[in-house]
Amino acid sequence: MERESSSNNEQDEWSASECGFNDPEVQRVMRGGSAAEDITQYPIHGWVDVTQEFHEACAELLPGELAQDMLFGLFEAMSAIEIMDPKMDVGMGFDKFDLPPPSFEAAVAMGAIKLDALEPAELIGIFDALFACLVSWLEGNSMDQVLFTCLYLHAPSQIQDKALRVFCIAVRNLIVVIKNIIILAAVNEEEDFQLYGNSALLAAEKAQPATIAGQLKDVEDELVRKCKKLPPAEDQNLMAVVHRLRFMRHLFQAIYQVELMASAESAEEAVNEIYKNLNVASELLPLIKRTIERGTQPVEGSEAPNPMGFSPRIHDRSQPPTFPRSIKIRERPASYQFLEEMVARFKYACKVIRHKDYYSALVSSSWLSSGILFYLSCLLQNFFIEYSRKSGHCILSRSVLQNLFSSSIRVAHGKQSMKRFLRHSVQAFNSPPVLNLKHPVASDPKVQQHLETFFRYCINMNTFNQFIRLCGFNRARQRDKLAHLIENFDPLQVDAVRLDSLMNQMANERAMEGNELHATALKHSTHFSTWVLYNCFRAMLIYLMSGFELELYAVHEFLYIYWYPYEFLVGFLVSALTRTENILLAQEEYAEHQSKMQVNGGGGGAGGKSRKAAKPKKNKKQQRPYRQEIIYYHALLSLCGGMYKAMGALTKDGRVRLPMSKFDNEEIRYNRRFAPFVPLTSPPPVSYVEFKSIRDHMMLCSVEELYSMAAKHFDQARNVLESIQNPEQEILDLLQIARTNFVVMNVLARGHQKEVKRQPEFDFSKHSYFPIMKLK
Amino acid sequence: MSTEQPPAESAENESKFKPMIFTNQPDEETDVKLSPGRRNLKKWLGRMVRVTLKNKLTLIGIFSCTDHDQNLVIAHCDTFLPDDMTALSYGNVMVPGNEIVAFEVEMQQETATPDEKKTN
């Protein structure tokens, strides 16, 4: 306030505000004296109404002209909430409801909510609305704005109606349990889930999750008895109430047991118990969905999810200022749909954990069955990747899997769980004899020491752990975190290579000593480096391809995105797998004829040329553990090649819209897309210049040639995919993509639509990595 | 490629929009040249203002920015419901110009007599 009056006579001095303190916090302190300024001190001088002058003054400004406070900048402008905007503003709509939102006590006093003798229809309405709130909470809304708009949840113990009371207590306990699970898994981000809410409300009544199931069961039994006394035509509504209570009981039990797993003795038993509960819950859901309309329905135009018991704006004024205000609670049928899918995902998660136990039990028994082992461990990791794709935005599903996994490996392997898990992972991948406890070489102290160092290093780097954890995050964050994870693989690779060479060195020493058995076991070992590389390649591939799913790439960028896996990544994966397969086969052979072994036949890890290695020895087909995966990657290779050449052809044909050249710098974009791969020494980064020369070479061909080359790739992919027996849905989808694109490429090669240079449509709806190209 | 383009086209691509900003930075020389309305705005900027909206919501905060259409940005804004003295803190707020009913500035009323100083 003094600034203006003093500015005249203190022209030589800098006032504080002129010194460029643009930080809003500083600004605030300077202006108000303290950050927690008391608004009630105003007016100090008095309010002067200048409305008219203000109108006139603003009218003098030119369109686009701004009058600004000197401390006001872009940052402040961006952080401003638009008042009266329905999405941002709490004030919006307050005048629609003249009365302040009633609290629980007020509502009881007014007689707006019933505490006793609720009709079945009312119960169904409230239960359905609460499930809808629960789902909305899991979708990322604040629990205050969804669940705690239900006044009944504020004080369940005061409710006399037993069914409602027990249900409300169950919901409150469920909130606590779900929160714990999500906190424990720690794969949530602010956009997924609001951890914070009105915990003061939760604290008022003690949580006793262990008693919930019993209480629910009692009420159920009571209601069922009541049902039996009613004439058969009238018991329908009451049975619908019972179904909801029962569903709640089983869902609660399942989720509660996931939380308990953290301290459980036997993982298998717990998982079986969870699975049983989930089964019952999923059987109840169709019954519940059919009776939704038996309950009271929300009033048209009202924000409350149910006419009685909800007060949608009760917490509006207790939320932080910039909090989203307008909450849409899910519709009831959609909520049950969500729950149904969630239960199905939980069941799926349980299944793999059971597999997982099976697998760890197998590991100790025999190393000859490594094929199955690998399949299972592969299943586990693929599973995590797959699961992450399916569960998408459901934070609870993702958290549950993480918890099931971490507690089951803890139970399976005890204290040193991660080290054991990693050992098993390598063993399952390529079964190095040094990890096989029955093999005499495993007890060699020197070998043990080296292994110990390597695994400790792996654990300290935390890379593998993170890879699995990472799959729990939502897809966008996953990609972000993968970029950092890939970097970590580099030191691991260095260490794994060192370990391998140490093993080879020791093989020579043992051979000199005449210890033939140990020498062969140690010789030609590339086990560990292959294992690390394989994982690294996969992380890279997921990183690159997830950009399609997240719609990050522009069409004109597709060319180099597909080029990289075609030229390098997928090929590397195939050769890593082929090499591993050869090692395994060689080991098996060696075990079969202990004396006459032909290790040099293929065990040498000579970096077998992928295309040749997959085909020979037809009689060994069943024993080739990687066959499926190699075939799959071959198909990916052809598809990537097809897309790469197709993009080249379309670009040359002038069918791809390119950015205006003066705004464009392809090198920068290229470098940015592959930035996370730069720190890796293996595979070495590929510079833009290299890419450019390869592309320019390809572009020498005529457009027609390019189209037919692309068609050839798609044809190859089709052939490979068709050879897969009992294909999964993904394979069938890829097959359709390969077929359609083959036809499109052929059509274009023949000069169809030669005059109209329209960009084809890229439809990623069948598969997140590969589009179907559509000519308009 | 970019060099081939004639210079005339690049001039065409340039935005015709020239941002014009004046602040309440003390500057005697330009102050004289400003129109009376702008001088008024300059006087009010950075002060506490009380704005009443069409829906009777009252906002109190620091007047930070405005434009031709009377859109306002108010920093450290508190809102009051009618007949309710409890403030709700909002942070920075953008108010659409067409919602404003009354605009009051917290300052000494230069022209008014001492009795009218406290209008509230």
Side-chain angles (χ1 to χ4, degrees):
Chain A
M1 312 300 107
E2 295 85 353
R3 183 159 22 108
E4 196 166 301
S5 57
S6 63
S7 62
N8 295 339
N9 38 27
E10 289 175 14
Q11 278 194 342
D12 298 335
E13 287 177 40
W14 293 95
S15 77
S17 49
E18 281 170 301
C19 295
F21 290 109
N22 278 329
D23 180 43
E25 223 22 68
V26 176
Q27 179 187 348
R28 184 169 187 139
V29 170
M30 268 176 2
R31 288 198 203 266
S34 79
E37 195 175 7
D38 182 14
I39 191 77
T40 54
Q41 65 174 300
Y42 291 99
I44 298 169
H45 303 295
W47 298 112
V48 183
D49 190 340
V50 289
T51 315
Q52 195 52 39
E53 291 91 324
F54 176 66
H55 281 305
E56 287 158 12
C58 285
E60 284 178 23
L61 298 177
L62 300 168
E65 185 176 2
L66 289 180
Q68 279 187 0
D69 186 16
M70 56 188 169
L71 293 180
F72 181 81
L74 184 64
F75 178 79
E76 285 76 19
M78 295 307 293
S79 65
I81 304 167
E82 187 175 339
I83 207 144
M84 305 306 295
D85 180 286
K87 282 205 183 102
M88 300 192 209
D89 181 16
V90 58
M92 189 63 192
F94 81 92
D95 49 353
K96 274 194 283 180
F97 307 93
D98 292 325
L99 292 170
S103 64
F104 177 77
E105 289 77 14
V108 172
M110 287 186 328
I113 58 174
K114 273 170 138 183
L115 293 183
D116 201 6
L118 281 92
E119 297 294 322
E122 291 170 327
L123 285 176
I124 295 170
I126 294 170
F127 290 176
D128 285 356
L130 274 173
F131 277 123
C133 288
L134 187 73
V135 168
S136 304
W137 177 49
L138 289 177
E139 283 182 321
N141 291 307
S142 149
M143 83 168 92
D144 288 3
Q145 286 173 313
V146 287
L147 280 161
F148 279 108
T149 60
C150 176
L151 296 172
Y152 287 118
L153 287 188
H154 291 208
S157 59
Q158 291 185 36
I159 304 169
Q160 272 110 48
D161 188 284
K162 203 172 171 194
L164 183 59
R165 182 176 70 229
V166 173
F167 191 85
C168 288
I169 293 173
V171 172
R172 283 182 57 140
N173 280 285
L174 191 61
I175 295 172
V176 178
V177 172
I178 289 177
K179 252 176 101 167
N180 286 345
I181 289 177
I182 291 175
I183 291 172
L184 210 66
V187 289
N188 58 306
E189 294 282 353
E190 57 174 358
E191 66 269 24
D192 303 323
F193 188 67
Q194 295 290 331
L195 267 181
Y196 307 101
N198 205 332
S199 33
L201 271 175
L202 277 175
E205 285 177 49
K206 262 192 186 155
Q208 309 148 305
T211 65
I212 297 299
Q215 291 186 38
L216 282 165
K217 185 92 180 56
D218 284 352
V219 187
E220 268 170 54
D221 293 346
E222 216 169 274
L223 290 182
V224 169
R225 276 197 296 277
K226 216 161 139 191
C227 257
K228 279 180 185 152
K229 287 180 202 151
L230 288 171
E234 288 167 37
D235 67 345
Q236 297 284 319
N237 278 4
L238 210 52
M239 271 324 282
V241 175
V242 172
H243 288 151
R244 280 162 176 75
L245 288 165
R246 195 171 290 158
F247 173 71
M248 181 47 133
R249 173 159 62 97
H250 289 287
L251 185 72
F252 183 88
Q253 277 299 86
I255 295 177
Y256 180 48
Q257 266 151 355
V258 173
E259 193 203 359
L260 289 187
M261 284 259 306
S263 52
E265 287 298 313
S266 151
E268 200 157 347
E269 223 170 87
V271 170
N272 281 340
E273 193 60 29
I274 293 170
Y275 196 76
K276 240 184 273 166
N277 277 310
L278 290 172
N279 250 343
V280 183
S282 62
E283 277 163 21
L284 283 165
L285 271 166
L287 296 176
I288 293 174
K289 277 164 111 179
R290 237 178 288 145
T291 51
I292 290 176
E293 66 280 2
R294 285 178 187 272
T296 51
Q297 299 299 314
V299 180
E300 190 95 11
S302 157
E303 290 174 35
N306 192 50
M308 186 169 70
F310 288 82
S311 177
R313 302 200 150 259
I314 190 160
H315 293 295
D316 267 3
R317 302 218 114 208
S318 62
Q319 298 297 325
T322 52
F323 215 70
R325 305 292 171 172
S326 175
I327 303 297
K328 271 261 170 285
I329 291 175
R330 271 246 199 174
E331 305 265 308
R332 291 174 188 184
S335 307
Y336 281 119
Q337 189 61 36
F338 181 98
L339 289 173
E340 198 166 14
E341 283 160 18
M342 191 174 84
V343 168
R345 281 192 295 264
F346 286 3
K347 277 165 78 173
Y348 188 42
C350 286
K351 255 188 198 153
V352 96
I353 299 302
R354 284 162 142 190
H355 270 302
K356 160 80 210 21
D357 284 338
Y358 177 60
Y359 136 57
S360 55
L362 259 181
V363 165
S364 45
S365 66
S366 154
W367 67 278
L368 275 173
S369 51
S370 53
I372 309 164
L373 288 187
F374 169 73
Y375 180 70
L376 287 168
S377 89
C378 213
L379 194 83
L380 181 72
Q381 251 204 0
N382 288 342
F383 175 80
F384 267 84
I385 295 161
E386 176 77 16
Y387 188 86
S388 132
R389 198 180 309 161
K390 279 188 181 151
S391 56
H393 54 258
C394 178
I395 174 70
L396 186 58
S397 310
R398 291 189 264 124
S399 303
V400 161
L401 179 67
Q402 293 287 327
N403 281 8
L404 285 179
F405 171 73
S406 58
S407 46
S408 74
I409 67 162
R410 185 188 51 76
V411 171
H413 305 307
K415 254 187 185 166
Q416 289 185 307
S417 52
M418 205 52 211
K419 193 179 110 189
R420 295 272 186 83
F421 174 71
L422 288 177
R423 276 182 81 109
H424 286 173
S425 176
V426 187
Q427 194 166 8
F429 181 61
N430 52 19
S431 182
V434 284
L435 286 184
N436 176 21
L437 296 176
K438 283 190 184 153
H439 199 284
V441 79
S443 49
D444 188 319
K446 225 171 161 185
V447 170
Q448 274 185 337
Q449 193 197 336
H450 288 317
L451 285 175
E452 180 71 18
T453 321
F454 174 70
F455 282 118
R456 197 176 299 152
Y457 188 65
C458 281
I459 291 165
N460 286 345
M461 288 298 293
N462 222 1
T463 310
F464 291 95
N465 216 351
Q466 266 179 358
F467 199 3
I468 286 190
R469 222 172 78 81
L470 214 141
C471 294
F473 284 94
N474 70 48
R475 305 293 275 169
R477 296 278 186 168
Q478 222 176 76
R479 185 180 152 90
D480 202 37
K481 288 178 200 294
L482 261 178
H484 298 288
L485 182 83
I486 287 169
E487 220 173 291
N488 288 352
F489 273 110
D490 199 47
L492 276 188
Q493 274 173 28
V494 174
D495 218 54
V497 170
R498 203 175 55 212
L499 180 68
D500 281 336
S501 66
L502 274 172
M503 295 292 171
N504 282 328
Q505 205 181 315
M506 278 170 61
N508 290 339
E509 286 169 22
R510 294 289 177 276
M512 301 272 278
E513 290 164 18
N515 190 340
E516 192 71 10
L517 186 63
H518 283 205
T520 28
L522 290 166
K523 215 162 131 192
H524 299 306
S525 163
T526 53
H527 292 112
F528 294 94
S529 48
T530 313
W531 175 65
V532 175
L533 269 177
Y534 170 74
N535 280 294
C536 179
F537 292 153
R538 282 167 53 116
M540 289 167 77
L541 189 66
I542 298 172
Y543 174 81
L544 211 54
M545 294 315 229
S546 66
F548 288 112
E549 196 184 345
L550 297 167
E551 296 173 30
L552 299 179
Y553 304 133
V555 170
H556 58 85
E557 289 180 296
F558 286 4
L559 190 132
Y560 42 86
I561 302 293
Y562 284 117
W563 165 78
Y564 190 77
Y566 165 66
E567 200 86 25
F568 304 101
L569 263 188
V570 183
F572 290 160
L573 272 167
V574 172
S575 77
L577 284 176
T578 315
R579 189 161 64 203
T580 309
E581 192 175 66
N582 289 341
I583 294 176
L584 281 177
L585 288 178
Q587 278 170 0
E588 256 171 73
E589 253 167 61
Y590 173 71
E592 277 163 25
H593 338 84
Q594 284 274 343
S595 49
K596 289 184 266 167
M597 39 53 305
Q598 288 109 17
V599 186
N600 51 352
K609 279 279 178 319
S610 51
R611 262 146 265 194
K612 284 178 211 156
K615 280 169 195 163
K617 291 190 194 167
K618 282 258 158 71
N619 56 331
K620 286 271 179 183
K621 210 172 180 178
Q622 287 86 352
Q623 286 153 16
R624 288 179 168 269
Y626 296 98
R627 192 159 184 84
Q628 287 282 336
E629 214 184 348
I630 290 175
I631 290 178
Y632 174 74
Y633 281 120
H634 268 295
L636 281 198
L637 193 71
S638 301
L639 282 168
C640 285
M643 283 309 296
Y644 162 55
K645 303 232 160 112
M647 289 316 295
L650 289 168
T651 311
K652 192 164 183 182
D653 201 9
R655 285 178 194 266
V656 174
R657 256 214 331 272
L658 296 171
M660 272 175 80
S661 53
K662 72 168 165 179
F663 297 123
D664 187 33
N665 186 335
E666 196 182 47
E667 184 169 2
I668 289 179
R669 273 189 281 111
Y670 174 92
N671 286 337
R672 195 147 165 76
R673 290 304 181 202
F674 296 104
F677 303 164
V678 171
L680 293 173
T681 40
S682 164
V686 189
S687 72
Y688 176 70
V689 182
E690 287 170 75
F691 157 68
K692 207 162 172 294
S693 75
I694 295 174
R695 179 183 56 182
D696 290 349
H697 183 74
M698 175 186 78
M699 291 297 213
L700 291 178
C701 305
S702 73
V703 171
E704 287 75 23
E705 279 173 322
L706 283 172
Y707 279 131
S708 16
M709 272 151 72
K712 213 173 281 167
H713 277 291
F714 286 122
D715 196 38
Q716 269 169 14
R718 197 196 67 194
N719 281 334
V720 174
L721 288 166
E722 274 172 351
S723 74
I724 295 176
Q725 284 152 359
N726 305 325
E728 287 169 37
Q729 190 55 42
E730 190 196 350
I731 303 294
L732 294 175
D733 289 341
L734 286 174
L735 195 57
Q736 194 193 337
I737 292 164
R739 274 190 197 133
T740 320
N741 287 347
F742 170 68
V743 174
V744 172
M745 286 301 112
N746 273 335
V747 166
L748 286 171
R750 264 181 262 126
H752 175 69
Q753 282 192 349
K754 204 148 183 135
E755 297 75 42
V756 248
K757 301 287 186 197
R758 249 181 315 202
Q759 184 171 301
E761 195 185 316
F762 295 90
D763 176 11
F764 282 92
S765 59
K766 275 278 163 202
H767 196 270
S768 51
Y769 292 178
F770 299 102
I772 289 180
M773 286 181 272
K774 289 178 178 165
L775 295 173
K776 277 171 262 181
Chain B
M1 286 281 273
S2 58
T3 49
E4 287 168 28
Q5 270 163 357
E9 204 183 295
S10 65
E12 209 171 279
N13 276 338
E14 254 173 54
S15 166
K16 291 182 188 73
F17 176 79
K18 294 269 183 298
M20 290 165 286
I21 295 175
F22 71 87
T23 69
N24 54 348
Q25 190 104 31
D27 185 348
E28 289 302 310
E29 280 175 36
T30 55
D31 270 10
V32 191
K33 292 180 211 153
L34 285 176
S35 67
R38 291 195 177 84
R39 231 175 309 170
N40 269 339
L41 286 174
K42 214 170 155 166
K43 207 158 60 194
W44 300 328
L45 279 166
R47 289 179 177 276
M48 288 306 259
V49 290
R50 184 168 72 174
V51 176
T52 311
L53 306 184
K54 276 184 187 157
N55 67 355
K56 299 193 180 64
L57 201 67
T58 308
L59 313 175
I60 298 180
I62 300 164
F63 176 35
S64 297
C65 185
T66 190
D67 67 359
H68 172 76
D69 301 314
Q70 298 168 37
N71 298 315
L72 283 179
V73 177
I74 302 179
H76 309 301
C77 179
D78 287 83
T79 65
F80 296 86
L81 298 181
D83 309 317
D84 186 356
M85 285 308 286
T86 44
L88 175 64
S89 173
Y90 257 71
N92 296 349
V93 156
M94 204 287 274
V95 188
N98 56 4
E99 293 284 338
I100 299 166
V101 174
F103 182 86
E104 295 157 287
V105 186
E106 207 277 333
M107 66 193 296
Q108 306 235 331
Q109 190 143 7
E110 293 114 317
T111 53
T113 56
D115 314 338
E116 289 168 11
K117 210 182 264 176
K118 297 227 165 173
T119 50
N120 235 10

